Every structure is written in C-alpha cells, then in structure tokens.
Amino acid sequence: MDPMKALIPLPSQPPPGCPFSPPQEYTELRIEHPVSRVSMPDGSWAWLLTRYSDIRSALSDSRFSSDVNAPGFPRSGMVTAGEGSSLIRTDPPEHGRRRRMLTHSFTVKSVSALRRRIQQITDQLCDEMEEQKRKDGPDGSVDLVRSLALPLPSLVISLLLGVPYEDRVLFQSITATVLSRVNTEGERTTARKELRAYLDHLVASKEADPGDDILSELVHERMREGQLTREEVTGTATLLLIAGHETTANMIGLGALTLVRNPRAADELREDPSLMPGAVEELLRFHSITRSGPRRAAIADVEVGGQLIKAGEGIVCAVASANRDPEQFPDADTVDIRRRNAQHHIAFGYGVHQCLGQSLARAELEISLNTLLTRFPELRLAVEFAEIPFRSDMLVYGCHALPVTW
C-alpha cells in the first residue's frame, strides 16, 4: 500500500467487545504504515501517526504548529475549532508566556498542599455512597461515575477556579454536549457560546468581587495590567474547566473498573499502597482516553518516520496507539501495575504542550483509587460487564455510568 495514495477514514472506535482497546486499525497501521494518510470527517485529509517514537518526535518539534489557523491544520471534527484564544492553540513564545501565568497553581508543590482537601472531598463522597447503599439495602447499587468519578474533579477544579459548585450541572451538561460525537456542529457551537457567556459573567463578578482563586488572579493581575485580554481569560477558563474535570472523571471510572476486574492487582495495592503512583501511570498508559490525539500543522517540511510531511499539511497523533506500542511497552495490551517504564507514557501529551494539570490529575487518581480500595474491599460490578455503557459516542472515552455494589 502506497501511503501517498491510500486514504482510510480516521479510526475512532474500539474493537467490538473490547472497549478497553484502541481502534484495531491503529495496530495494523503501526506495523505496516506508521505514518499514513487518513480522511477527515469533512473530506479533507491529514497524516496519522501511530508509532510512539514518531509521535514523541513530532510533538517536540517546533516545526509543527498548534495554531488552528495555521495552513493545513486538521480542524475537521475538533471540538475546540474556533477557540483560538485557548492556551493549547498558541505556539512559542506566546504559549510559554501564557503558560507561566498558570504554572504555579499546578506545580507538584501546590498540588501536594491540596492533597488533604482532595482526600476530605473523596471521604465525604464515599460516605455518601455508603449512606445511599445503606438506604437501598443489600440489593442496591451505586453509580460510581455520578457518585465519585465526576463530582470529585468537578469540586476540585471549581475550588481552584473560583466557580460556584452549584453551577456544576450547567458546565457538566455543556461539556457533555461539546464533546459528543452524535451532536451536530450547530449544537456544539451553541453549547460553547453558552459556556462562554457563563464564564464572561463569572469574569465580571470576579472584577467586582475577587476571591482567592485562579480566575480572580487572571482578572486582577493579568487582564487589568493588559497581559491578557478578556477573551484570553475566558478561553483559559474554558480550557481549565473542561479539562479539569472531564478527563480525570473518565480516568477514575476506567481505573476503578480495571481494578475491580483485576482483583489480584487490587489486593497488591491494598497491601502496599506505595505501588499506587506506579499503578496510576500504568492505567493512564493503558487507557489513553483521548483517542484522536493532538493535532498539528507543519509550518516547514519535516520528515517523520521516513515520510516527508510538507509545510501546510496536518498531522493527527494517535496517542492511544503510541501508548500501546510494544516497541516501547512490551506486552502493551496487558495492565501491569509494576511496569517499570509506565511513566514514559504520553497520555498527557509531550513537549511544550504537555498537560498543565497532570500533577493534579495524578493526585486525584491516586487518592480516589486508594480510598475506594480501602473503604470498599468487596467492591464489584452490579451489572454484567457487557451492560456497562461505554462512551463510544464521546470524544473523551470512559463510562457513562458504572453501577457497583459491595
């Protein structure tokens, strides 16, 4: 097959009956044509990268731009198309300037100071789970997504940003619309406008009555001094609010499900909680919840994996494929909580655009999974595995619901 002539649809779905696995096409392409042309939803085309080494190389190469307005950027099907004010849509040096305004809030030291509060929130949510189970009796079940996986990161990012937690239903509903594969672009655009209007109102309230939170700091220390425009503040808030709860919520659900289905690993983690940080890295590697990966546009001719990518051509990085690349991770389709190199996954991206909130996500995952294992040692699924509603209709993968009992 000539990669210049071959054109296949951009893979997106897991194999039938195997919801934990990336699309089967990734495996085939990674072996035969690791840099291949794929057709996008609007009929345009881009290069799909499926090999770990090629994706790391591309994501750290300044000749690839994150700007959606760069010629050839593969915007088709992107939920963030048109949000040019977002931090992740800027290139150096502008990207570095704006990222530095936020870095101090997400350092390992800052997140360490939050761990006690994250633990308190987790304990409270688990108390509520126990109370619900007590009321429902021995045959009752609890939806782990609604009871823990979604509210925990939503509460934490609300606290950090200064978003009233009572507004969570609004921003969670809007996020679900924006990230849905089945909604029309018009519906997603309407939802984005609703979120922007909400955040514009919130920015105005921070101008009048600032608090001790990230959004107040951006408004009073950056926007008023002319370092950021109101649109840039709102775009940053949109990114942090959506990314700060949606991705971690789905990883908590998938992580809990994986451990429930691997009782030996769960027992090892109960006996030795020091294994949990490594287990979290392995779960992040194994699941890679963003299936269609980072996108870039070449602003100069670049050779990747032996294939010339010309200026003005776009690339899609299949991170889920890279994290299952056996050249980097032997026995890659197996969860191994003692895997020595799991931390080299690229679930948080790579290069200058590596996820700003990764330390926070790790802390929330470690604390929530540790607490689940210790509080509910007999935790099990309340339905058959085949009955779990996986998020094949969403751009961020996970479970819509996860009924459990104990």
Side-chain angles (χ1 to χ4, degrees):
M1 180 176 71
D2 182 351
M4 285 300 296
K5 295 180 180 179
L7 204 61
I8 64 169
L10 178 66
S12 63
Q13 298 299 327
C18 191
F20 285 168
S21 295
Q24 180 61 39
E25 296 95 328
Y26 285 169
T27 300
E28 298 166 359
L29 290 172
R30 194 172 58 234
I31 295 171
E32 298 177 7
H33 300 285
V35 183
S36 297
R37 295 207 315 161
V38 291
S39 61
M40 307 301 287
D42 66 354
S44 62
W45 69 273
W47 293 103
L48 178 68
L49 278 56
T50 51
R51 195 162 52 190
Y52 179 90
S53 58
D54 293 339
I55 291 176
R56 286 230 320 187
S57 174
L59 292 179
S60 59
D61 194 321
S62 62
R63 292 172 294 178
F64 286 108
S65 172
S66 295
D67 186 349
V68 294
N69 296 312
F73 193 98
R75 298 170 58 138
S76 177
M78 282 183 59
V79 299
T80 53
E83 294 179 5
S85 60
S86 173
L87 173 68
I88 60 174
R89 298 298 158 218
T90 58
D91 294 326
E94 176 64 13
H95 174 267
R97 183 185 73 84
R98 289 170 58 177
R99 187 182 177 101
R100 284 190 293 274
M101 297 179 188
L102 298 165
T103 302
H104 66 279
S105 297
F106 296 98
T107 61
V108 173
K109 182 178 180 180
S110 296
V111 171
S112 294
L114 275 173
R115 291 184 74 98
R116 179 178 294 182
R117 183 68 179 117
I118 297 171
Q119 184 67 65
Q120 290 173 342
I121 294 171
T122 304
D123 290 339
Q124 180 182 346
L125 292 171
C126 287
D127 288 343
E128 293 171 4
M129 287 172 58
E130 286 192 320
E131 179 62 18
Q132 179 185 338
K133 182 69 167 61
R134 185 188 66 78
K135 289 180 179 178
D136 292 345
D139 295 329
S141 65
V142 174
D143 179 2
L144 194 64
V145 171
R146 187 176 62 182
S147 299
L148 177 65
L150 187 55
L152 172 59
S154 297
L155 269 164
V156 173
I157 199 62
S158 295
L159 286 170
L160 288 174
L161 279 178
V163 175
Y165 185 60
E166 56 267 24
D167 293 344
R168 68 192 183 281
V169 175
L170 172 65
F171 69 72
Q172 288 170 1
S173 173
I174 291 173
T175 298
T177 301
V178 168
L179 296 179
S180 172
R181 291 181 184 275
V182 297
N183 287 339
T184 65
E185 182 55 35
E187 290 170 328
R188 288 194 290 267
T189 298
T190 298
R192 284 195 291 266
K193 289 179 179 178
E194 289 176 2
L195 183 58
R196 183 168 291 276
Y198 167 76
L199 289 171
D200 277 337
H201 174 76
L202 191 60
V203 167
S205 72
K206 298 296 182 183
E207 287 183 282
D209 184 21
D212 183 19
D213 54 69
I214 292 173
L215 195 52
S216 294
E217 179 184 331
L218 290 177
V219 169
H220 285 268
E221 296 185 17
R222 306 299 182 180
M223 191 176 82
R224 284 189 171 180
E225 295 179 3
Q227 298 178 41
L228 290 174
T229 65
R230 178 180 289 271
E231 182 183 9
E232 288 168 344
V233 170
T234 304
T236 299
T238 300
L239 171 65
L240 294 177
L241 188 61
I242 293 179
H245 81 274
E246 181 70 21
T247 51
T248 306
N250 284 290
M251 270 306 308
I252 291 173
L254 288 173
L257 175 58
T258 302
L259 294 177
V260 165
R261 286 170 52 83
N262 289 267
R264 182 175 177 181
D267 286 342
E268 286 186 71
L269 290 167
R270 287 190 193 94
E271 294 168 5
D272 186 0
S274 70
L275 294 174
M276 184 57 79
V280 164
E281 300 299 336
E282 174 67 348
L283 291 169
L284 287 163
R285 179 201 69 82
F286 182 76
H287 286 296
S288 302
I289 56 176
T290 303
R291 298 274 165 111
S292 59
R295 302 181 182 197
R296 302 286 189 267
I299 56 176
D301 290 357
V302 190
E303 185 175 306
V304 178
Q307 175 63 53
L308 177 64
I309 297 175
K310 297 180 179 179
E313 295 179 347
I315 63 171
V316 178
C317 299
V319 164
S321 174
N323 283 337
R324 296 291 190 94
D325 189 340
E327 292 295 318
Q328 176 67 24
F329 306 104
D331 199 15
D333 292 328
T334 300
V335 174
D336 179 2
I337 63 170
R338 296 176 182 269
R339 187 183 296 274
R340 293 185 177 181
N341 69 338
Q343 74 275 13
H344 296 308
H345 66 77
I346 51 175
F348 291 119
Y350 192 72
V352 296
H353 282 282
Q354 200 168 158
C355 176
L356 181 68
Q358 59 184 284
S359 293
L360 178 61
R362 287 183 169 101
E364 291 173 343
L365 283 163
E366 291 171 18
I367 290 169
S368 61
L369 295 177
N370 254 329
T371 305
L372 277 175
L373 291 177
T374 54
R375 288 281 295 266
F376 308 106
E378 297 180 359
L379 191 71
R380 64 184 187 277
L381 292 179
V383 298
E384 295 296 324
F385 181 70
E387 298 176 42
I388 297 171
F390 286 95
R391 291 165 52 104
S392 296
D393 58 333
M394 306 296 286
L395 289 164
V396 176
Y397 197 64
C399 308
H400 281 298
L402 186 58
V404 295
T405 189
W406 58 90

